[in-house]
Amino acid sequence: MKINKSEIAGALVALGKLVCRTSPVEVYRCIQITGSKDVVSFRTQNTDETLTYNGCTENDAPFQVFVNFDDFRNAIRSSHNKEVQIELETDKLAVDHIQIPLVNDTGRVVTVPDDARMTMLPAGFVKMMAAPAGIIDRSDYRRILRGIHICKDGFVATNGKEMIHIAEPLKIDDLTIPLPVALLATKSEASGTMRVWKEDSETCFQIRTGIWEWSGKAVSGNYPNWRQVVPVINTLSHEVELDDGHATQLMTFLKAIPANPPNNQVDLTQGTDGKTLMVKSDTGMYSRLAATFAAPWGEASLSVNRDMLVRALQQGHRRIAFNDGNSPFIVTGGIGQYVAMPLFVHKQAQPKQEETKMSEVKTSVVAAPVPPVVINREPEVAINPLDELSSAIDDFKSRIRAMFEESSALSRKVKEVALAQKQKERDFIQAKRAIERIRMAI
């Protein structure tokens, strides 16, 4: 059979997202190629997910083989033809006469039951999920927050400090899917369907969009009640809006600010003319931008993280609304809505000094006691300069000895901390290997 080189090369970019080259399970390092009448499918999988690309081609007979993913990809790249010739031999697969040995395995078969609940997904939903996926913290210990929540109100993602909600009405029960790295890599713009079913007390799903199929297991657990965090924009008292030109100017300014962890604080205030947005960082850099305010801010200000503000502007948002510096603010105008918590700035109240009138000042004159004069009757003893120098040298030596002792103690503490860190890393690696062995046993 023959298949277009550029199409399969582009598909391998997304398929490779699920390939684990260090996995002890061989099938997780392979690509499954299945041929049927006029259709050829390429599939990769890991412990929880599978991704399938379906292409059209003329095929002589049905077949199914497994080959190493890297070997197959290198063979495709080495081809100089627009159409790649794929031939199946006894124990090898020939890609434009490049021999690739077959792998003996059956892989995992995803079977969607007939009673699976189906939901229609709108066109461009893959691109919609790219925005919330960008704020997910993959290292978060809460596994439920490492996925995208799908509900009747659309798509939601949060990392505990910021949240993105893409409003898209869906007829579906609440479900949290793992971070769709492979699905996002397909860049599909078509509409699709989502089927959900139960399998061995676990919730499974399959998303079909165009020529792609992505299947996996939903993340178990209860997603946080994100609805109570989103403020009602009509109740927010302070609002500012930028046009596209000034928003781009603001992004350029924010990216030029040197990092000042952990907060990278930026303060937003209203100018005295009421038509200027003052942006000042904690590093001393500031900028003035023309903006539109819904009402005067007075002394109100908003302190935000620089990176959060850049992320909101990159998603096309132009309108910022908030109540005060201690409640969530919302940024809208672009893709969905962006909600985050401002930085809390503790302002110490300066005590007011009471002014004292001159007429109330009373000056009283008190006679100062005269200390008695003690006359030293003992004769003065002349100090020998050599003895004084010797004493100073001994004192200096004792201080140097104390400094060396403190330095040795600090050096020992540094070595102890380094050993403790290495022990933690060894424990982590052993635990990771134990979890991997348990998964393989299951």
Side-chain angles (χ1 to χ4, degrees), residues 21-296:
R21 294 165 178 81
T22 59
S23 175
V25 182
E26 192 170 26
V27 70
Y28 297 156
R29 306 193 302 267
C30 296
I31 181 170
Q32 175 184 348
I33 306 175
T34 304
S36 58
K37 184 179 180 180
D38 300 332
V39 177
V40 60
S41 300
F42 301 87
R43 174 181 297 178
T44 55
Q45 57 187 302
N46 60 19
T47 55
D48 297 322
E49 305 172 47
T50 63
L51 181 66
T52 305
Y53 168 79
N54 299 308
C56 297
T57 184
E58 294 182 0
N59 182 34
D60 296 336
F63 68 93
Q64 176 177 304
V65 294
F66 285 85
V67 294
N68 184 272
F69 178 85
D70 290 335
D71 293 342
F72 181 77
R73 183 184 59 181
N74 293 335
I76 295 293
R77 290 177 176 177
S78 301
S79 176
H80 300 288
N81 303 321
K82 292 184 179 180
E83 289 190 342
V84 181
Q85 180 77 26
I86 300 178
E87 297 178 352
L88 178 62
E89 300 178 0
T90 305
D91 57 347
K92 294 179 181 179
L93 186 73
V95 180
D96 273 357
H97 308 294
I98 298 177
Q99 305 291 330
I100 304 175
L102 301 182
V103 176
N104 294 325
D105 210 316
T106 57
R108 184 173 67 252
V109 179
V110 179
T111 303
V112 182
D114 296 335
D115 58 347
R117 300 189 304 274
M118 187 180 73
T119 302
M120 300 300 298
L121 299 175
F125 74 95
V126 174
K127 186 178 180 180
M128 291 181 187
M129 289 196 292
I135 68 169
I136 292 177
D137 183 6
R138 300 187 186 184
S139 61
D140 198 310
Y141 70 94
R142 296 162 293 186
R143 190 166 181 263
I144 193 72
L145 295 187
R146 299 202 299 265
I148 294 180
H149 188 64
I150 303 177
C151 58
K152 62 181 180 180
D153 296 323
F155 309 99
V156 183
T158 180
N159 56 21
K161 298 179 182 178
E162 50 188 331
M163 183 186 73
I164 293 179
H165 170 223
I166 308 298
E168 184 64 40
L170 300 173
K171 296 181 179 180
I172 190 173
D173 296 333
D174 290 3
L175 177 74
T176 303
I177 63 174
L179 183 62
V181 177
L183 183 62
L184 295 176
T186 64
K187 298 181 181 179
S188 174
E189 298 180 357
S191 59
T193 60
M194 183 173 185
R195 290 175 170 83
V196 182
W197 69 94
K198 287 285 187 179
E199 184 177 310
D200 296 334
S201 72
E202 290 185 320
T203 302
C204 301
F205 66 90
Q206 183 186 71
I207 294 178
R208 292 184 179 181
T209 170
I211 56 178
W212 293 95
E213 294 180 6
W214 180 55
S215 305
K217 298 178 181 179
V219 183
S220 59
N222 296 323
Y223 203 77
N225 188 4
W226 59 274
R227 293 179 180 86
Q228 67 179 5
V229 179
V230 181
V232 180
I233 194 168
N234 295 332
T235 62
L236 302 180
S237 56
H238 304 92
E239 183 179 326
V240 61
E241 185 173 0
L242 300 170
D243 57 25
D244 292 338
H246 289 100
T248 304
Q249 184 179 347
L250 177 57
M251 277 192 290
T252 304
F253 167 72
L254 293 173
K255 292 178 181 179
I257 298 175
N260 188 19
N263 294 328
N264 293 325
Q265 180 178 333
V266 174
D267 297 326
L268 307 180
T269 56
Q270 186 181 29
T272 55
D273 59 355
K275 299 180 181 180
T276 305
L277 178 65
M278 308 294 294
V279 185
K280 183 178 180 181
S281 74
D282 54 357
T283 60
M285 297 178 62
Y286 66 92
S287 177
R288 297 183 179 91
L289 300 166
T292 303
F293 295 84

Side-chain angles (χ1 to χ4, degrees), residues 413-426:
K413 289 182 180 179
V414 169
K415 291 180 180 179
E416 291 174 358
V417 171
L419 290 174
Q421 181 64 25
K422 290 182 179 179
Q423 183 62 36
K424 288 183 179 179
E425 292 177 357
R426 286 195 292 268

Side-chain angles (χ1 to χ4, degrees), residues 1 15 39 164 192 313 331 334 341 348 354 374 407 410 415 426:
M1 64 179 179
L15 292 167
V39 177
I164 293 179
L313 294 172
V331 192
M341 284 297 297
Q348 294 181 351
E354 297 182 358
V374 179
S407 176
L410 290 175
K415 291 180 180 179
R426 286 195 292 268

